[in-house]
Structure formats: C-alpha cells, structure tokens
Amino acid sequence: MEINNHNIHRVIQEGKVHGTRSMGSAALNLCFVARGAAEAYFEYGLHCWDYCAGALIVEEAGGCVRDPGGGDLDLMARRVIGGSSVQVVENICKFLKPIEFERD
C-alpha cells in the first residue's frame, strides 16, 4: 500500500497533525471520532461491513463522514473519512491522493 503510506506521511507532515493512532478496527476508530477521543480517521481498502456502523455512529454524534475523494460516502467504494466536523474532513481530504479499489 505505497499510496496509503504516502497519504499518511503527507497528512502528518503537511496537515500539521499532532499524532496518529489506530486501534485495529475501522468501526472502533470511527467510534473514537464520535466520542471526541480522536479528531478524524481515514482508511482505504475496507469493506462496507468494516465501517458502516461506525460511520452511522459518527453521523449520529454530529460528526461528518464522507468519501475521501470528495462527496458523499459511498459504502461500496471501500474508503472512508470521518471527522469531528466538516472543516476537519475537508482539511484532511486536501492532502489525500485517491486510491481506487474494486467495489464491494
């Protein structure tokens, strides 16, 4: 996943991120965003069952969930970004290079 590593490094360096953490589960990572324990989470290559519940929890908590390529979340596109606000999501998306996967 060379492009994904590039995305992570670019967000850290150019996005002025203070730190990163991943709990190993997309749904759990999104729940941390919903709880306010993390400001944002993005991932590529997931399947819809990996993150659809977490995405709903973020939205119900008042956060923002979108497709990292821009636009509304497409559960079958196998990529997600969730954040505490629209501004956080849009700011991080500026640094991401889209990665395409075969749709679910």
Side-chain angles (χ1 to χ4, degrees):
M1 276 293 171
E2 185 64 35
I3 295 173
N4 201 35
N5 288 337
H6 171 77
N7 280 333
I8 293 167
H9 289 289
R10 189 162 178 213
V11 168
I12 291 170
Q13 292 171 350
E14 297 178 32
K16 299 180 180 156
V17 172
H18 297 281
T20 64
R21 177 173 296 161
S22 180
M23 299 301 174
S25 161
L28 180 59
N29 288 325
L30 286 165
C31 285
F32 272 89
V33 172
R35 181 178 183 218
E39 204 165 355
Y41 168 72
F42 71 90
E43 188 71 51
Y44 291 88
L46 301 167
H47 295 282
C48 57
W49 53 84
D50 294 325
Y51 63 94
C52 64
L56 177 62
I57 291 168
V58 170
E59 289 176 345
E60 290 294 322
C64 175
V65 182
R66 293 203 175 151
D67 183 286
D72 294 334
L73 179 64
D74 177 357
L75 289 174
M76 300 299 125
R78 300 182 59 192
R79 55 192 189 186
V80 65
I81 183 167
S84 57
S85 68
V86 173
Q87 295 82 9
V88 168
V89 169
E90 289 176 351
N91 187 45
I92 293 173
C93 283
K94 292 187 299 190
F95 302 107
L96 299 177
K97 181 177 180 178
I99 304 172
E100 299 292 329
F101 288 91
E102 183 178 325
R103 295 176 60 79
D104 271 339

